[in-house]
Amino acid sequence: MIIAGVDEAGRGPWAGPVVAAAVILRGVVPAGLDDSKKLSAKRREALFEALQASDCLIGVGQASVAEIDRINILQATYLAMTRAVEALGEMPGHVLVDGNRLPRWRWPATAIVGGDGSEPAISAASIIAKVTRDQIMEQLDGQHPGYGWASNQGYGVAAHAEALIRLGATPHHRASFKPVRAVLQKLQG
């Protein structure tokens, strides 16, 4: 049976898309796969490159800020996960998803709490999703300097909050998230 691992990156930030990855491990699998949050940025990037160069199948899906604001972050995460599995190019017989909830989709699936640290296919997906999203946020940081997205990835750290008040919201900010909504209302008020 072909098994895919799925994980996401970017549910909590105030800015940027939510990114999901699906990975089917095949051939020689890079050593050292683990939860992306437990790995240094340098190690994540090395494993990202090794996975890209391997025989593994990788699918990446995103849900945009507009989709997050329209359908909420949980449903947008499920949408990104669905897009990631569909992007694999080969349909899995079963999908392992990090977390305690599953999208409603056509594939048999199992949710595994802590799966990004215990299931290699989910670990691989965790790394692909995290590095992909970090790259997106670095690009957006170049387009919208001052928010620190290259270092904070759009999370609500103090410097990002100060920049949001000082510079206002960009089209890449999630207007449905309370701190962003408060700034937008203040500017409109």
Side-chain angles (χ1 to χ4, degrees), residues 13-17 65 133 137 149 153-155 160 170 172-174:
W14 297 351
V65 169
R133 188 173 190 286
M137 295 311 294
W149 292 341
Q153 291 78 41
Y155 280 90
H160 188 184
T170 71
H172 304 289
H173 278 96
R174 300 172 181 179

Side-chain angles (χ1 to χ4, degrees), residues 9-188:
R11 280 184 64 176
W14 297 351
V18 61
V19 176
V23 176
I24 295 172
L25 297 175
R26 304 192 309 189
V28 178
V29 177
L33 295 176
D34 202 350
D35 175 356
S36 65
K37 295 179 292 299
K38 295 179 182 175
L39 301 170
S40 69
K42 185 176 180 179
R43 184 70 182 134
R44 268 194 311 269
E45 289 169 17
L47 286 166
F48 176 87
E49 295 298 329
L51 286 162
Q52 294 281 357
S54 75
D55 289 331
C56 298
L57 293 180
I58 297 170
V60 175
Q62 296 182 36
S64 69
V65 169
E67 289 169 323
I68 292 167
D69 287 341
R70 189 175 71 250
I71 61 176
N72 80 42
I73 186 60
L74 179 61
Q75 295 307 314
T77 299
Y78 291 162
L79 179 60
M81 288 178 170
T82 301
R83 289 172 174 164
V85 175
E86 289 172 343
L88 282 169
E90 186 172 322
M91 290 304 106
H94 198 87
V95 181
L96 303 177
V97 178
D98 182 55
N100 62 359
R101 299 171 80 176
L102 294 169
R104 292 184 185 192
W105 55 15
R106 63 183 177 268
W107 305 284
T110 304
I112 302 174
V113 174
D116 50 0
S118 63
E119 291 290 333
I122 299 175
S123 299
S126 169
I127 292 163
I128 296 292
K130 172 72 172 140
V131 173
T132 300
R133 188 173 190 286
D134 286 355
Q135 291 171 347
I136 291 168
M137 295 311 294
E138 281 184 37
Q139 291 171 355
L140 291 176
D141 184 66
Q143 297 168 19
H144 300 277
Y147 298 93
W149 292 341
S151 59
N152 66 39
Q153 291 78 41
Y155 280 90
V157 298
H160 188 184
E162 291 167 9
L164 188 58
I165 292 166
R166 189 177 73 253
L167 301 171
T170 71
H172 304 289
H173 278 96
R174 300 172 181 179
S176 59
F177 279 43
K178 190 174 180 178
V180 178
R181 188 171 58 244
V183 167
L184 291 172
Q185 289 171 342
K186 191 174 184 180
L187 293 173
Q188 293 171 352

Side-chain angles (χ1 to χ4, degrees), residues 1-4 92-95 108:
M1 179 184 298
I2 298 171
I3 295 176
H94 198 87
V95 181

